[in-house]
């Protein structure tokens, strides 16, 4: 359709986007984070089964996490393995990579448990994640997570919990 001057008219909803107009919502990750945001994750076992806080699972988690940068573009920072849930910090390009990584971790550990004769389900569906927004958030979250074994009555001092550590040192300003 053309107007009286011969110029094409556009129906509402079909107008060409104006490159000078700002979007209604700013795209958060590409503009705020230079490359890899840091996510705080909590992943729970199915029915809160106490499957995680063992030397064998810790070694499998470390092995899996050390291979993650090359295989999944995910870097694992600090972690705490509780009997029925995992807390960890990961740096990755986006939430898609994060979700794939969690799914792979679940499959990796499930294979081990099946071989040991355990019966599924092993993991709850889904997981909780929180995008960290500053260096203070990482330090605050870590201080809280590190105290989980103390609050659960598993140890008197956080440093005595053997199922916590750091795979890769994540730096807010360098990710």
């Amino acid at each position: 359709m053309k107007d009286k001057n011969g110029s094409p008219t556009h129906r509402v909803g079909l107008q060409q986007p104006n490159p000078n107009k700002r979007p209604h919502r700013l795209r958060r990750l590409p503009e705020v984070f230079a490359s890899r945001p840091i996510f705080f994750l909590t992943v729970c076992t199915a029915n809160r089964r106490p499957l995680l806080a063992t030397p064998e699972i810790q070694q499998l988690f470390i092995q899996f996490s050390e291979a993650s940068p090359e295989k999944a573009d995910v870097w694992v920072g600090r972690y705490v393995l509780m009997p029925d849930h995992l807390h960890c910090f990961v740096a990755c390009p986006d939430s898609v990579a994060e979700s794939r990584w969690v799914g792979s971790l679940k499959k990796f550990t499930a294979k081990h448990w099946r071989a040991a004769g355990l019966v599924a389900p092993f993991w709850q569906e889904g997981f909780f994640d929180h995008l960290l927004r500053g260096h203070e958030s990482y330090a605050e979250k870590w201080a809280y997570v590190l105290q989980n074994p103390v609050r659960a009555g598993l140890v008197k001092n956080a440093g005595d919990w053997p199922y916590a550590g750091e795979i890769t040192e994540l730096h807010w300003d360098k990710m």
Side-chain angles (χ1 to χ4, degrees):
M1 216 194 293
K2 296 188 180 197
D3 67 12
K4 63 181 177 179
N5 295 326
S7 298
T9 60
H10 300 282
R11 291 182 292 178
V12 175
L14 298 178
Q15 293 181 347
Q16 297 298 317
N18 181 346
N20 298 321
K21 185 177 177 185
R22 294 189 65 104
H24 292 290
R25 296 180 131 227
L26 295 177
R27 284 180 277 157
R28 182 176 52 172
L29 296 180
E31 293 186 19
V32 175
F33 302 100
S35 60
R36 289 180 184 83
I38 298 174
F39 293 90
F40 167 64
L41 303 178
T42 301
V43 188
C44 298
T45 60
N47 303 313
R48 305 297 267 190
R49 289 172 71 181
L51 298 171
L52 299 175
T54 69
E56 192 173 26
I57 293 302
Q58 184 178 31
Q59 278 308 115
L60 286 173
F61 178 74
I62 291 169
Q63 175 189 351
F64 182 85
S65 298
E66 287 176 342
S68 294
E70 184 178 319
K71 291 185 175 184
D73 202 20
V74 173
W75 282 257
V76 179
R78 295 172 180 162
Y79 70 91
V80 174
L81 288 167
M82 295 293 287
D84 60 359
H85 65 279
L86 156 71
H87 292 297
C88 65
F89 297 86
V90 299
C92 54
D94 53 36
S95 59
V96 173
E98 172 198 32
S99 292
R100 286 184 183 142
W101 182 83
V102 171
S104 294
L105 174 64
K106 288 179 176 183
K107 287 178 187 173
F108 182 75
T109 52
K111 181 178 176 182
H112 165 77
W113 288 319
R114 277 191 196 95
L118 297 177
V119 178
F122 304 113
W123 294 102
Q124 278 185 4
E125 284 191 35
F127 60 97
F128 168 82
D129 69 342
H130 174 73
L131 174 66
L132 298 185
R133 291 173 172 77
H135 177 70
E136 307 82 47
S137 295
Y138 190 12
E140 289 170 16
K141 283 275 190 206
W142 175 242
Y144 177 80
V145 167
L146 190 57
Q147 293 300 315
N148 264 9
V150 175
R151 283 190 300 276
L154 299 170
V155 291
K156 288 190 183 228
N157 299 306
D160 295 338
W161 185 245
Y163 307 110
E166 185 172 48
I167 308 295
T168 302
E169 191 172 324
L170 302 180
H171 293 282
W172 184 260
D173 58 340
K174 295 180 182 174
M175 294 313 291

